[in-house]
Amino acid sequence: MSTAVAHDTGAPDAPSGRDVLLEARGVVMRFGGLTAVDDVDLTVREGEIVGLIGPNGAGKTTFFNCLTGLYKPTEGEVRLSGTVLPPKPGRVVRAGMSRTFQNIRLFANMTALENVMVGRYCRTKAGAFDSILRTPRFRREEAQTRERAQELLDYVGLGRSTELLARNMPYGDQRRLEIARALATDPKVLLLDEPTAGMNPQETADAERLIFKIRDSGLAVVVIEHDMRFIFNLCDRVLCLVRGKTLIEGTPGEVQSDPRVIEAYIGTGDGTEPDDPDDIDAKIEAQVEAREAREGGRG
Amino acid sequence: MNDIPQQLVNGLTNGSLYALIAVGYTVVYGIVQLINFAHGEVFMIGAFGALSTWFLLFRDNTSVWVLPVMIAGAIAASVATAVIMERIAYRPLRHAPRLAPLITAIGISVFLQEFVRLFYGTIPGFPSAKSKIPFPAIDGVTGSPFHLGSVVIQRPALFTMGALLVCGLFLGWFINKTKQGRAMQAVSQDPDTARLMGIDVDRIIVIAFALGAALAAIAGVAQGLQNNNIDFKMGFMAGLKAFTAAVLGGIGNIQGAVVGGLTLGVAEALATVFVTGAWKDVFAFGLLILVLVFRPQGLLGARVVDRA
Amino acid sequence: MSTTVDRADGANSPDSSAPAPAPRATGKGVPLAYAGSGLMTASALMSWCYDPDVLGDLTLYGNPAPVQLTMLVLGLLGLVLAMSAKGPLRRLGAGLDTSRGAFRLGLGAVAYMALTLAAITAQAGGLVNADPGAWVALVGSLVLVVAGRLGVSRPSRNIGAMRAKGWVEILVLVALVAIALLLVADGLTLRDPWAFVLLLLGVGAAAAGLAGANAFTWLGVTASYHSRVLTLAAFVAAFAFPLTQNGSDANMSIATQVIIFSATALGLNIVVGLAGLLDLGYIAFLGAGAYVGAILSGSAFATIDWQPPFLVTVIIGALFSALLGLIIGSPTLRVSGDYLAIVTLAFGEIFRLAMFNLDGNNGPKITNGPNGIPAIPELNFFGFDFGVTHHLFGIPITRFSNYYLLLLCVIALIIVIFSNLNNSRIGRGWVAIREDEKAADAMGVNVFGLKLLAFAGGAFLAGLAGTIKAHHDVSVTPDQYQFLESAFLLAAVVLGGMGTVGGVLLGAVVLKLLPEKLRFFSEYRLLIFGLLLVLMMRFRPEGLVASKRRKLEFHEDDEHLADKVQTIHLEEKTS
């Protein structure tokens, strides 16, 4: 049942020969007068790991939010396996693209297992009547959900933490749990937003191994990361965003040696830029959250 | 259809009342994102505060100079109620899940109503509040109406509209020109940064509650003058209508509350003309639901900060 | 079992930072506890009052009246605590916080005696009428308080992990259910408000003592082990209740009202407790069902001349209500949280006003306006007339008992729906939405659909109960369905515990029973429950019987609590 994850396929072929899974064309995201993402293209093929780098405020997370339907892009479209994705998070997940969050957003008061089981929600069908009457379909599905969730926890190395409350878990484990939850939706493409933020070197190495393992099982992975060594080790291709625009796209080697990339990173530090040097992503995030809070938060 | 101008006047009168109360919802919501459900009761307590002042100090004196003192009494009662409720009920819940303050608000609302109903009459010399209590008819602001062609304008209606005008000007000045007003704007835009800038957020929240309460108190007096009586239940319907007005104008937006209040008043009055008076309230609440579903940001849009 | 358990013990009593298990029940507390509870027990066999007309006859030696029996029970509980601290029950004591239990039990007993003395003063005309027994009981209680303060007990084992033999546990649970049934049956027969309040206070004192000693933790874990047995026992008890009434309708009428209220509160709990949505117009759904039931009842005042079989009426009423629920729930697509609460409130008002206005003058004649629809005939189920007394094994089952039993079946249905939904994919979805709506959406949880389901489902159940209520009440009028009733329902849910069945049943029974039994209380009922809502949100938002998850949600920063819940959860999973 877990063909996507269960077996290793060995060394991948050259990525360019594979089918295109995710294709974003001309994505633009404006907030009032501020253009956070400006005409960004992204192509991700089967079995590929693509890195998304860029200084703070380059619009990486905003771009992720556009891809996953959390924001409705002002312009441009996102296709998954050729079909245009509507800007609705639920539909995007069902279509086969799942994500983790920069600031971990687990269901804190649920156990690890329950968190992953929630991820199975969109792949199960038992409705209210099945649940109330405990029909055979309900029992079968519930058992499968549980089994699959446990399998995924084992897969990310949390097999022994099944019954721990998410809020009681160590930070690194929480990040891995988020990956397991995302994998539970049976994605074709997995988007990871800073999967190693706040991790020690040992945990980072573990995370790297886990991402390779996920890739080898046939998924495509897009990673936002600040840790350059991590990203250049991991990725087949790297896309560098600066102030919402694509600066360069290429192999890790090409991007690493490009003087503009270095300048972009150093340039943000000296404060001479005309644009707001602060983290635009964080600002937008804060604004959007404030609005959501106003329009009625958790009920 | 001849009574349309008359109904417009009635609508503006009720609308002014709604607007005065709605400001309280909107100011508090803009700053702490809390629907202070008990605000209707603050309005009711304002009316009782005015009445109590009259009983204690004037009794049987209805000359016009009594009115400012009654208003002061109303404001004192309302502001005290609002500040106490903020301090002991809402503040401890500021970081609780949002269900908690909402349930608290309902509790306060019921509690205040019952408190007035049960205990107002136990104060020596005060009438029982279990049924309607007559409100003193102050000279000058009550009495023979003015006639403008076929349109009749009651004196208390003029008082209500005048009160809205004065309060509106005062608000504009307060929000834009005073230190507290500007701090209030800052807190509503970004409480964390405001705190870093040295603004005492707790104090600003108290001021917001007090400001809303003061306006509601004036509305309470206006209501008493208009209806000639007050009762412990008066806050429920008025509060709900005022909330509708606040939503209509875009909650969090102070001008919106005024516009929303007047719009709701007029819309209701027109509904009376074209449908029937019995369905007026249903019409108002139907409007509330429709606005929330189709234009949750209200007529004037949400608060100014959202245009970032 | 070992390591985690030890860690959690630290969490149970935050002050015990010592790594080694400290000696339990140190100091002079234990002898005092024996003395205090001994005095309390003995006092029950003495005379409390010169006047035989006060609180049942308290004047006899060696023949305790109910008021004294309560004290006897409290005293025996105190003895059990003392013996667990140091004595034959040490093994039990390993998991109990005996001193805290003794302290709270003592405080409760002091309050109990204070009220008893007040009753004696009021009814017999002066405190001089109190006999030594009453003073002995008071002194005993005070001694127990002091004992509890002096002793510092440090439970060395996690009580949630302590298991007895299966049949022993079941026996304890069944015994508790039986005691609860007897208490309710006894409480309902009390005519004297003093005696009634005393009974409540006595139960409260016992509960405070047991809760203080952490015994409820054990009870909670045990109850979840044997939940089927417990539910079954509770239902057997509830079904047996009419049989204890000997054909008297006085109590059954109250019991039926309590059960209608409980059923509605349980329905509301699906919306508030599970989906986390505040519905302030819930009573309108009950009303919608009731009006459908009334209009299709064949009453002479019904406005539609069609009387389908009652089962059809029930389904129409429930579906009509559910449809309203769908309409009212639909704003959830655009707005959520606080706004939705107001939408439901506005809807509740619209419903009431519409029922008021559909009188033939201001609108079509459907509801007869403020007069409502009276003279609704009794239910008749396949020839079984609910209006007359039937006999079961010679025991009379009266009109109210008939309705009571039917409503009990409805409650059973609601409980099954509630708990099966809760323990399913849908229930997990609701939790996820409550925890983080955005993340739930991003993980593919159908947020809108699930909220709508909660609304429509809750409305369906309320509508169902409403159709029966119409027949039970005989008439339906708009003012039965006003906002305050919705707030009253909410108070029951909040008091009992959002998201739990037992809690809401408790909350509903307490809130509905008190005003029925106490005139004093019925005057101040709204005042008290308004205050109750505020106090509960401030001090115990998860309710008296807390759902673990709700408790965690309301105490986001409480690390100790998270550890404690974790440990108990692991215990439940491993054994």
Side-chain angles (χ1 to χ4, degrees):
Chain A
M1 51 179 298
S2 57
T3 46
V5 164
H7 51 87
D8 285 1
T9 51
D13 303 282
S16 56
R18 302 229 182 156
D19 291 340
V20 172
L21 276 179
L22 171 66
E23 195 176 20
R25 284 284 158 263
V27 173
V28 177
M29 185 75 221
R30 281 192 207 100
F31 295 95
L34 178 102
T35 307
V37 177
D38 193 355
D39 196 18
V40 175
D41 295 342
L42 176 71
T43 307
V44 182
R45 292 164 192 280
E46 217 172 87
E48 212 181 9
I49 302 179
V50 178
L52 204 56
I53 61 169
N56 278 334
K60 304 181 296 286
T61 296
T62 309
F63 183 56
F64 258 31
N65 288 345
C66 291
L67 292 180
T68 51
L70 239 49
Y71 296 163
K72 186 173 183 292
T74 321
E75 283 168 38
E77 62 175 29
V78 182
R79 288 168 181 272
L80 192 68
S81 310
T83 1
V84 177
L85 290 179
K88 298 257 165 42
R91 304 271 292 275
V92 170
V93 174
R94 271 187 286 276
M97 179 153 67
S98 190
R99 68 173 293 174
T100 66
F101 294 90
Q102 185 180 352
N103 42 348
I104 302 174
R105 297 187 82 152
L106 286 166
F107 307 120
N109 297 316
M110 296 177 105
T111 63
L113 188 74
E114 287 167 333
N115 265 281
V116 184
M117 285 170 86
V118 171
R120 293 297 298 161
Y121 186 94
C122 61
R123 301 293 173 206
T124 44
K125 293 197 174 60
F129 284 103
D130 294 302
S131 307
I132 292 167
L133 301 175
R134 304 268 137 166
T135 57
R137 170 161 107 163
F138 171 84
R139 287 163 195 275
R140 193 175 53 238
E141 224 180 61
E142 194 73 3
Q144 283 169 358
T145 303
R146 194 168 288 275
E147 191 187 334
R148 176 85 172 116
Q150 183 62 54
E151 223 173 82
L152 283 165
L153 284 173
D154 291 337
Y155 182 77
V156 300
L158 293 174
R160 299 171 64 90
S161 309
T162 313
E163 296 298 338
L164 290 186
L165 288 175
R167 70 190 250 180
N168 285 353
M169 292 168 77
Y171 191 74
D173 287 1
Q174 292 195 8
R175 289 236 175 253
R176 282 193 284 177
L177 178 56
E178 246 201 338
I179 294 177
R181 187 180 66 177
L183 287 174
T185 64
D186 292 344
K188 293 182 243 174
V189 181
L190 183 64
L191 308 183
L192 303 175
D193 198 344
E194 302 201 17
T196 69
M199 282 187 174
N200 63 31
Q202 177 58 43
E203 288 171 327
T204 306
D206 287 345
E208 193 176 290
R209 265 196 297 282
L210 177 60
I211 296 172
F212 275 130
K213 195 160 79 167
I214 292 169
R215 190 269 315 269
D216 292 345
S217 68
L219 272 74
V221 183
V222 186
V223 191
I224 293 179
E225 209 20 281
H226 279 296
D227 184 339
M228 288 302 149
R229 201 156 38 152
F230 177 78
I231 224 89
F232 291 130
N233 262 338
L234 191 72
C235 297
D236 302 306
R237 257 178 329 116
V238 176
L239 189 77
C240 179
L241 290 184
V242 175
R243 268 179 256 153
K245 289 199 175 71
T246 309
L247 185 72
I248 180 175
E249 184 185 349
T251 63
E254 288 164 6
V255 173
Q256 207 167 4
S257 55
D258 193 294
R260 286 174 300 170
V261 174
I262 299 160
E263 193 198 332
Y265 269 86
I266 298 168
T268 53
D270 62 15
T272 54
E273 284 172 281
D275 262 359
D276 189 352
D278 286 337
D279 192 335
I280 297 176
D281 272 343
K283 277 201 160 168
I284 291 166
E285 182 91 344
Q287 288 235 339
V288 171
E289 289 204 340
R291 182 180 313 168
E292 275 168 4
R294 261 197 307 286
E295 283 166 12
R298 278 186 286 167
Chain B
M1 295 301 120
N2 292 333
D3 50 353
I4 286 186
Q6 178 66 55
Q7 287 299 341
L8 273 179
V9 170
N10 296 353
L12 285 175
T13 311
N14 277 335
S16 304
L17 204 65
Y18 298 153
L20 280 172
I21 310 172
V23 168
Y25 281 106
T26 246
V27 173
V28 168
Y29 195 87
I31 289 181
V32 276
Q33 280 83 54
L34 162 80
I35 295 178
N36 179 14
F37 194 81
H39 188 60
E41 270 51 64
V42 172
F43 156 79
M44 177 268 290
I45 284 184
F48 276 88
L51 185 68
S52 310
T53 314
W54 187 75
F55 274 132
L56 289 174
L57 301 181
F58 308 111
R59 221 178 252 280
D60 305 328
N61 184 346
T62 57
S63 49
V64 72
W65 60 267
V66 163
L67 191 62
V69 187
M70 283 171 68
I71 293 176
I75 293 179
S78 286
V79 169
T81 309
V83 169
I84 292 173
M85 86 168 76
E86 194 279 330
R87 186 67 194 82
I88 64 177
Y90 291 138
R91 191 177 298 181
L93 300 178
R94 212 168 285 158
H95 300 288
R98 292 172 72 93
L99 204 55
L102 213 53
I103 290 174
T104 299
I106 292 159
I108 297 176
S109 171
V110 173
F111 176 80
L112 288 178
Q113 276 188 37
E114 284 299 297
F115 190 79
V116 169
R117 180 177 79 90
L118 292 166
F119 300 122
Y120 190 74
T122 63
I123 304 169
F126 282 28
S128 162
K130 291 185 182 173
S131 52
K132 292 188 172 178
I133 307 178
F135 198 80
I138 304 297
D139 306 339
V141 289
T142 56
S144 56
F146 299 107
H147 292 271
L148 214 77
S150 66
V151 179
V152 183
I153 303 178
Q154 300 290 343
R155 285 166 183 246
L158 278 182
F159 172 80
T160 311
M161 291 190 261
L164 177 66
L165 191 70
V166 173
C167 291
L169 291 174
F170 167 78
L171 263 181
W173 169 78
F174 182 84
I175 300 286
N176 295 314
K177 293 286 190 284
T178 66
K179 203 173 142 197
Q180 273 88 2
R182 285 197 296 262
M184 208 180 254
Q185 287 185 28
V187 174
S188 79
Q189 291 188 13
D190 188 341
D192 293 330
T193 312
R195 199 185 301 270
L196 289 177
M197 295 295 131
I199 294 173
D200 183 349
V201 174
D202 282 341
R203 213 176 123 234
I204 295 301
I205 293 174
V206 170
I207 292 177
F209 269 87
L211 193 66
L215 266 60
I218 295 170
V221 177
Q223 167 94 315
L225 293 171
Q226 263 177 43
N227 295 5
N228 301 323
N229 60 55
I230 59 175
D231 70 320
F232 71 95
K233 278 186 293 197
M234 65 193 271
F236 177 71
M237 201 43 110
L240 210 48
K241 291 283 182 63
F243 177 78
T244 307
V247 169
L248 206 58
I251 196 153
N253 180 333
I254 294 180
Q255 293 100 309
V258 175
V259 174
L262 295 175
T263 311
L264 180 67
V266 170
E268 267 184 15
L270 293 181
T272 318
V273 179
F274 292 109
V275 199
T276 142
W279 293 92
K280 188 182 76 161
D281 295 340
V282 174
F283 177 79
F285 297 139
L287 197 65
L288 169 69
I289 295 179
L290 288 179
V291 170
L292 280 179
V293 174
F294 293 107
R295 202 176 154 78
Q297 70 272 41
L299 296 178
L300 295 195
R303 305 180 300 139
V304 187
V305 282
D306 276 349
R307 296 200 201 115
Chain C
M1 169 129 184
S2 56
T3 49
T4 39
V5 168
D6 286 342
R7 188 163 57 99
D9 287 337
N12 280 343
S13 47
D15 53 334
S16 70
S17 47
R24 305 184 322 271
T26 54
K28 318 157 197 78
V30 180
L32 275 180
Y34 273 106
S37 33
L39 284 176
M40 286 160 68
T41 314
S43 76
L45 304 172
M46 300 166 71
S47 162
W48 284 18
C49 181
Y50 289 114
D51 186 342
D53 294 332
V54 176
L55 297 173
D57 195 348
L58 303 181
T59 59
L60 301 172
Y61 278 82
N63 187 6
V67 172
Q68 292 161 306
L69 271 179
T70 312
M71 181 48 76
L72 184 72
V73 171
L74 294 182
L76 290 176
L77 262 180
L79 278 178
V80 168
L81 284 177
M83 284 191 250
S84 331
K86 216 171 219 164
L89 296 175
R90 289 195 74 139
R91 273 186 53 214
L92 183 64
L96 290 175
D97 191 340
T98 47
S99 5
R100 197 170 57 158
F103 179 66
R104 300 211 177 154
L105 181 69
L107 276 188
V110 169
Y112 182 80
M113 278 324 293
L115 195 72
T116 308
L117 287 169
I120 291 173
T121 311
Q123 295 195 346
L127 206 52
V128 286
N129 288 295
D131 249 1
W135 299 110
V136 170
L138 183 64
V139 170
S141 313
L142 285 168
V143 170
L144 192 60
V145 173
V146 175
R149 256 291 101 110
L150 284 181
V152 179
S153 55
R154 293 191 175 123
S156 57
R157 291 183 61 195
N158 175 20
I159 186 150
M162 291 170 66
R163 295 264 67 88
K165 285 200 177 64
W167 63 268
V168 175
E169 293 184 350
I170 289 176
L171 208 64
V172 170
L173 290 175
V174 171
L176 283 174
V177 170
I179 291 173
L181 174 70
L182 285 176
L183 279 175
V184 172
D186 184 40
L188 280 171
T189 57
L190 291 175
R191 294 280 166 270
D192 181 359
W194 285 101
F196 184 73
V197 176
L198 276 174
L199 180 69
L200 281 183
L201 204 57
V203 172
L210 288 174
N214 282 339
F216 281 167
T217 311
W218 181 83
L219 203 60
V221 174
T222 311
S224 75
Y225 270 125
H226 305 289
S227 57
R228 274 159 205 269
V229 179
L230 185 63
T231 319
L232 194 70
F235 267 96
V236 169
F239 271 105
F241 178 70
L243 307 179
T244 66
Q245 294 300 309
N246 226 348
S248 148
D249 250 359
N251 293 331
M252 285 319 297
S253 132
I254 298 176
T256 315
Q257 286 181 33
V258 167
I259 216 152
I260 292 176
F261 186 68
S262 309
T264 324
L266 274 173
L268 177 62
N269 200 20
I270 293 182
V271 187
V272 179
L274 297 187
L277 301 164
L278 192 52
D279 188 342
L280 298 175
Y282 195 71
I283 199 75
F285 299 124
L286 186 73
Y291 266 101
V292 170
I295 289 169
L296 301 182
S297 68
S299 154
F301 299 89
T303 45
I304 296 179
D305 191 19
W306 178 50
Q307 191 191 0
F310 183 64
L311 271 181
V312 177
T313 309
V314 165
I315 292 168
I316 295 177
L319 285 180
F320 177 64
S321 203
L323 181 71
L324 289 180
L326 278 182
I327 296 171
I328 295 319
S330 58
T332 33
L333 187 59
R334 298 288 295 274
V335 300
S336 55
D338 329 5
Y339 280 5
L340 190 71
I342 305 289
V343 168
T344 58
L345 177 62
F347 162 71
E349 282 303 296
I350 289 180
F351 174 81
R352 188 178 61 84
L353 293 165
M355 294 305 107
F356 210 83
N357 284 336
L358 294 173
D359 57 356
N361 291 324
N362 295 308
K365 186 175 170 72
I366 297 177
T367 63
N368 298 330
N371 297 328
I373 299 173
I376 299 167
E378 299 291 350
L379 268 185
N380 196 318
F381 245 14
F382 306 110
F384 183 91
D385 187 344
F386 277 64
V388 298
T389 302
H390 297 261
H391 287 270
L392 186 68
F393 310 123
I395 303 170
I397 308 288
T398 59
R399 171 182 187 267
F400 283 113
S401 304
N402 293 331
Y403 282 102
Y404 172 91
L405 293 172
L406 174 64
L407 285 160
L408 211 53
C409 297
V410 173
I411 282 213
L413 175 76
I414 295 178
I415 291 177
V416 167
I417 293 177
F418 180 95
S419 49
N420 280 1
L421 281 180
N422 193 17
N423 297 314
S424 74
R425 163 179 179 265
I426 291 171
R428 279 194 300 276
W430 278 331
V431 179
I433 293 173
R434 288 200 322 250
E435 295 259 320
D436 186 338
E437 189 168 326
K438 202 163 144 192
D441 194 18
M443 285 302 122
V445 175
N446 182 356
V447 173
F448 177 56
L450 282 184
K451 285 185 175 178
L452 220 49
L453 175 70
F455 255 97
F460 182 91
L461 296 175
L464 195 158
T467 51
I468 300 172
K469 180 174 155 63
H471 288 269
H472 167 265
D473 290 356
V474 184
S475 83
V476 175
T477 52
D479 53 346
Q480 289 169 306
Y481 303 100
Q482 54 177 323
F483 163 71
L484 282 173
E485 295 300 321
S486 289
F488 197 26
L489 280 170
L490 183 69
V493 172
V494 169
L495 173 71
M498 283 182 245
T500 65
V501 170
V504 172
L505 286 178
L506 177 72
V509 170
V510 168
L511 281 192
K512 196 71 185 177
L513 210 52
L514 286 186
E516 294 291 343
K517 291 307 290 185
L518 299 176
R519 193 90 15 83
F520 156 81
F521 193 87
S522 93
E523 172 75 352
Y524 293 92
R525 145 188 112 111
L526 292 168
L527 184 83
I528 291 173
F529 88 65
L531 196 61
L532 196 71
L533 283 177
V534 177
L535 293 178
M536 289 302 287
M537 280 299 118
R538 175 77 178 80
F539 296 107
R540 202 177 159 85
E542 66 271 24
L544 291 178
V545 180
S547 121
K548 261 186 303 187
R549 184 111 57 202
R550 274 301 195 176
K551 202 167 173 179
L552 287 169
E553 285 169 20
F554 277 113
H555 302 275
E556 296 259 299
D557 308 322
D558 191 340
E559 298 295 329
H560 281 308
L561 177 70
D563 281 342
K564 196 168 153 186
V565 170
Q566 179 78 73
T567 317
I568 293 172
H569 178 75
L570 286 175
E571 276 309 325
E572 284 174 2
K573 285 286 164 187
T574 47
S575 40

